[in-house]
Amino acid sequence: MMKLRWVLLILALFWMGCEDDKDDTACTGGYEVCCISEIGTMTAAAEAMETAEGLDEILAGLESFCESMDDVIQCAGDAGTAADELDEMQESYDELCGE
């Protein structure tokens, strides 16, 4: 759970730092701007997982979180995020969601 909180904190900082730069006509502000809905979905999934009760709810929450985190990574790649940053995101995904 600690790693999940770090990932959320890092993504939240990126998101908040770029929120003012949002341009509705074009997506040129990086994944933080381009992937707002994906990041929001991932944040909601993480919050739901933290409040889940019972193993079934926790596992369902983790699955939802992992799916939304994968969507963020895909969106970030489409937005032209630097390879090293994508690698870090993928590494976090692998640690949290790997089989």
Side-chain angles (χ1 to χ4, degrees), residues 49-90:
M49 191 172 62
E50 286 188 9
T51 60
E53 295 181 15
L55 184 59
D56 290 339
E57 282 186 31
I58 292 170
L59 291 175
L62 180 60
E63 182 179 348
S64 177
F65 173 79
C66 288
E67 288 173 4
S68 60
M69 186 175 187
D70 186 53
D71 291 343
V72 169
I73 293 169
Q74 294 295 324
C75 182
D78 293 344
T81 302
D84 60 335
E85 195 169 353
L86 281 174
D87 288 343
E88 287 179 28
M89 295 170 90
Q90 187 65 48

Side-chain angles (χ1 to χ4, degrees), residues 2 11 15 18 21 28 30 34 39 43-44 52 54 57 65-66 68 82 84 87 89 96:
M2 187 58 120
L11 289 174
W15 186 21
C18 296
D21 298 333
T28 58
C34 301
I39 292 171
T43 301
E57 282 186 31
F65 173 79
C66 288
S68 60
D84 60 335
D87 288 343
M89 295 170 90
L96 294 168

